[in-house]
Amino acid sequence: MDRAAMALAKLKVKNIRFDTGLGCKPKFTAEDVAAALAGTETGPYYLALAKYTGDLPARLALETTVMCYLGDHIKNKKLLSDGEYAALHHYTHCLVRNVEPYRITDIDRQKCKVWHQLVRLLVDHAVIDHRCPKCNGTGNGKRYPVGRDFAYKPCTRCGGSTRVRPSNRSNARFLGVTHPTWAEKYEPVYRDLYPMLAIWEQHAFKHLSQQLFSRIDHQIGEALRAC
Ligand SMILES: [Zn+2]
């Protein structure tokens, strides 16, 4: 794990302190992350803020941003009829303005809520790490001796991958649809959109690591000058 990754892992506990070993202790908090993220695009900004600081408003803003992308995707791929798309467009428009969708029928609203739920699922999977609970993210299973040393079998739960992907069945349950409906209608959209969130995270991570560590270097420099 590089320095940036370690710093960001620590940011998850919100109140962190970097001991530089130079007698000065620069502190970084959730506010520092927000400041360091300034200048990134909307998607990466809210994703990193929701992920690394657990900020709820940022998470809701991320949902709205992804919902807009979902609408564009559905339109480009012509996945819905014109009427259904118009309803989704109105629903998203109201979500952005934080008002109840008033211009659509109850049936259309219900359909839109399932798309919204798909967006929540995407955001969940991007923000939560889904570390394997059995091996605690190490990927190690049972220990066995190898000569004088020992080795580990891969964890039986995650197969050594360290992460547990939610099953299609649990995804379908989350959306409140049947498994075949998930597989046919929603899973392809999930697969199309998830890589976008992964790219947003990479962008934000790169930006954060540059910003945070230039600030650390700056603080160390300041402390050294003060000595
Ligand atoms: Zn495991």
Side-chain angles (χ1 to χ4, degrees), residues 132 135 155 157-158:
C132 172
C135 62
C155 166
R157 175 87 190 270
C158 64

Side-chain angles (χ1 to χ4, degrees), residues 53-65:
T53 72
D55 187 60
L56 188 63
R59 195 192 162 99
L60 296 176
L62 176 63
E63 268 181 28
T64 311
T65 310

Side-chain angles (χ1 to χ4, degrees), residues 39-113:
T40 50
E41 285 173 42
T42 316
Y45 175 82
Y46 287 127
L47 175 55
L49 209 55
K51 182 162 184 148
Y52 297 118
T53 72
D55 187 60
L56 188 63
R59 195 192 162 99
L60 296 176
L62 176 63
E63 268 181 28
T64 311
T65 310
V66 177
M67 195 74 188
C68 295
Y69 277 88
L70 175 94
D72 288 347
H73 181 76
I74 282 173
K75 190 181 186 187
N76 292 339
K77 292 232 164 181
K78 297 188 174 34
L79 299 175
L80 296 179
S81 70
D82 287 351
E84 283 174 317
Y85 174 72
L88 185 68
H89 184 75
H90 175 70
Y91 182 93
T92 308
H93 181 82
C94 291
L95 191 70
V96 171
R97 276 151 193 79
N98 201 20
V99 291
E100 277 293 309
Y102 51 90
R103 226 192 286 154
I104 53 178
T105 65
D106 285 350
I107 295 171
D108 279 340
R109 186 175 309 166
Q110 208 47 44
K111 286 179 187 167
C112 291
K113 280 187 174 169

